[in-house]
Structure formats: C-alpha cells, structure tokens
Amino acid sequence: REIVLSLRNFSRLDEAEMKRVDIHEGIDSNLLILKHRLKANEKRPAIEVIKNYGDLPKIDCFLGQLNQVFMNIIANAIDALDESNIGLSFAEIEVNPNRIKITTSVENQGVKITICDNGHGMNEEVKAKIFDNLFTTKDVGKGTGLGLAIARQIVVKKHDGEIHVNSRLGEGTEFIITLPKSA
C-alpha cells in the first residue's frame, strides 16, 4: 500500500498545473521507491539516510517534475557511494558508513533543499560539466547524461528556482535546490 501511494505521489501524472504541496512528501516517496537500493547487500552495509527537515510551508510546484529531480539526485548519490566503495571491504565501509543527508529549510522568499553524500566527490572538470546535456561519468549503458540536464531545466525553467553543486574530491557532493514559495 505504501509503495503504491508513493508511486502515485511520485508520478502525479494527472496534474498538469502547479499545486500547493508538501515537498517532504515528495522526498519521502522517492526514498521509499529507492529503499531497495539503500538496503545492505553482500558488498556493503545499508546507506544511512539522515533527514534534517525544517518547518517548510507548502509551495506551488509541479511535484511530479520535482520528484524526477529528487529521484535523479538521490539515485546518483547511491551510484556515487557504490562507486566509492569499490576496493573496500564490508568492514572498511562500516568504519566510514555511506550517508545521504537531506536538509530542508526556509530561505529568503523560498525553500532550500540540500542533498549531499559522503562519496568520492567530483573534480573541477566534472563539476563544470555536470548539468550539460549528454554528459555522464557512468559507463556505457549505465547513464544517458540527461538526468541532471533535465533536473536543471525543471528547477530553473519550470519553477524559477536554482540548482547548484558543491563537491570536492574525497569529501562527497552536495546539490542545493532553492525554490520560490509560490510562482
């Protein structure tokens, strides 16, 4: 039942107009859908998800489209963590556990959503291209190079928001999304 409700909330296919919604519902739906990828497996312990949710007002948005943004960023964080685990034993990963931290807050006249991981991070060259159409760091057949380009279009063009990335090699990556409270 929870998965069906989350999928319905995630897709919002029947909603072609902006609606006032709770952003946390969208993030939580994405986490439930990705739960199987966050669980422990034979190669690594579970990825810890830390939710530091602020007291956000409902905002006017296309939640189905924003859910695509959240899904892409969280799935990329999982991929980055799995890649950073290559060559490490289960015990070594347990010493420095994989984490994704999601923080929300009210900022100026909008809301701020920060999604960060403690993976291997990106160098400056990759960081400069990360939102470019067809740019990917993934192996052939594993990434299209469209996810973050589409995410940027959804945030900037559809929602009058901003999306930025901070990353340093060896320290992880942080995506910062700011959205107006109303359009």
Side-chain angles (χ1 to χ4, degrees), residues 57-144:
K58 289 186 175 187
I59 66 166
D60 292 329
C61 68
F62 297 104
L63 188 57
Q65 291 180 8
L66 282 181
N67 280 335
Q68 291 176 33
V69 173
F70 301 144
M71 176 67 72
N72 190 276
I73 293 171
I74 296 167
N76 282 349
I78 295 167
D79 291 343
L81 290 166
D82 283 342
E83 190 175 311
S84 71
N85 292 333
I86 294 172
L88 299 176
S89 70
F90 199 95
E92 289 171 318
I93 298 166
E94 282 182 312
V95 171
N96 184 26
N98 296 154
R99 287 191 181 97
I100 296 173
K101 183 176 180 183
I102 304 170
T103 304
T104 63
S105 60
V106 174
E107 187 169 283
N108 299 323
Q109 295 302 310
V111 298
K112 178 178 173 183
I113 303 114
T114 304
I115 302 170
C116 55
D117 65 64
N118 64 339
H120 54 70
M122 298 179 238
N123 64 34
E124 290 301 316
E125 182 183 338
V126 170
K127 197 166 75 170
K129 297 178 185 175
I130 202 72
F131 294 111
D132 290 355
N133 211 10
L134 303 178
F135 176 78
T136 184
T137 59
K138 296 178 182 172
D139 293 336
V140 174
K142 295 208 175 179
T144 61

